[in-house]
Amino acid sequence: TKGRGQRGKIWEDEPGANLAMSLIIKVSQPRLKFALLSMMVAQVVETCFASLYSGWQTAIKWPNDIYINDKKASGILIENIWKGAVWQYSIIGIGINVHQTVFPPDLPHATSLTLESGMTFDHLEIITQIRTGILNGLPLLEKNEQEIIHTYNQRLYRRNREVTFLQIAEQRKFQAFVQEVDEEGKLILLTSTGIERYDFGSIQWIL
């Protein structure tokens, strides 16, 4: 009933207009990379969007926001629950702007499925498609690791394009070309000094 995002951010949501769903999953593969789970979930949501309306240009903005026509329509937050050193389960939280048409002025890049298509959508149909896609993808995570990484990078937002980033710790802005994401979930950038890898939370997109 109250969505939240990364680093204490609030997921803005018009009651009754959008989707804010959580899926609790238990993964049986003890060696599974968490980044791989995040990539798979993002692909499922992006694939769902692409199937709903053929006129959209959809992409995954690292690490797991889903963009339609250069604007954010969905955010994903995965929390991993541990008992000692054992990974117990994960809570996959997904927020999707479905029918909302007005957003706060401090969210200039936000959009919804309705704004980008002029159509209305069945919430339950979207939930079912995403849930089924995630559950079907879980058993294949280790087997299809390279395919998942490759597909994720094929759909990576602004790949091979120059973007301005903020290095959070030093509050330093810099330009770099987006290359790809590696198996650990790090974003690989081509900067003026060469190839650099960044963990999630260490840099911020400036769009």
Side-chain angles (χ1 to χ4, degrees):
T1 58
K2 188 175 183 181
R4 60 191 178 91
Q6 299 282 0
R7 298 184 297 278
K9 293 181 179 178
I10 300 298
W11 181 261
E12 297 287 347
D13 179 68
E14 179 183 317
N18 304 320
L19 280 178
M21 60 184 286
S22 294
L23 184 65
I24 301 175
I25 58 104
K26 186 174 179 66
V27 181
S28 58
Q29 302 98 315
R31 298 182 304 278
L32 179 67
K33 297 183 179 72
F34 301 127
L36 205 60
L37 174 63
S38 177
M39 289 183 189
M40 184 270 286
V41 172
Q43 288 176 43
V44 167
V45 178
E46 190 264 351
T47 298
C48 173
F49 286 2
S51 73
L52 293 174
Y53 187 73
S54 61
W56 287 336
Q57 290 185 334
T58 60
I60 303 170
K61 176 174 163 285
W62 176 82
N64 46 19
D65 286 339
I66 312 302
Y67 270 47
I68 295 176
N69 300 336
D70 221 32
K71 291 189 174 183
K72 181 177 177 177
S74 174
I76 301 167
L77 175 64
I78 302 177
E79 296 184 282
N80 299 306
I81 310 302
W82 297 77
K83 185 176 181 180
V86 180
W87 183 19
Q88 296 293 301
Y89 58 93
S90 292
I91 304 172
I92 302 170
I94 302 172
I96 301 173
N97 298 328
V98 183
H99 296 135
Q100 187 165 338
T101 57
V102 178
F103 293 92
D106 61 336
L107 297 175
H109 298 288
T111 192
S112 69
L113 308 189
T114 290
L115 278 176
E116 297 302 319
S117 67
M119 299 168 56
T120 59
F121 298 88
D122 186 319
H123 286 191
L124 185 57
E125 179 184 335
I126 296 172
I127 291 171
T128 302
Q129 186 171 337
I130 291 174
R131 176 183 179 275
T132 301
I134 292 173
L135 295 181
N136 287 343
L138 285 174
L140 305 175
L141 280 175
E142 284 193 318
K143 184 187 300 184
N144 293 350
E145 177 175 344
Q146 292 307 312
E147 180 182 341
I148 291 170
I149 295 171
H150 174 75
T151 303
Y152 180 96
N153 282 314
Q154 289 296 110
R155 302 174 181 179
L156 186 61
Y157 182 64
R158 297 204 174 180
R159 188 182 188 192
N160 297 323
R161 292 172 60 185
E162 190 174 34
V163 176
T164 300
F165 292 93
L166 174 67
Q167 207 280 340
I168 295 175
E170 300 175 3
Q171 289 294 294
R172 173 181 61 89
K173 290 184 180 180
F174 66 97
Q175 281 73 44
F177 285 89
V178 176
Q179 301 294 289
E180 60 183 5
V181 175
D182 66 17
E183 62 182 14
E184 300 298 331
K186 295 182 179 181
L187 181 63
I188 302 175
L189 301 177
L190 176 61
T191 71
S192 59
T193 58
I195 292 292
E196 297 179 7
R197 287 174 164 80
Y198 288 90
D199 289 311
F200 173 66
S202 63
I203 58 173
Q204 178 179 330
W205 299 68
I206 306 295
L207 299 174

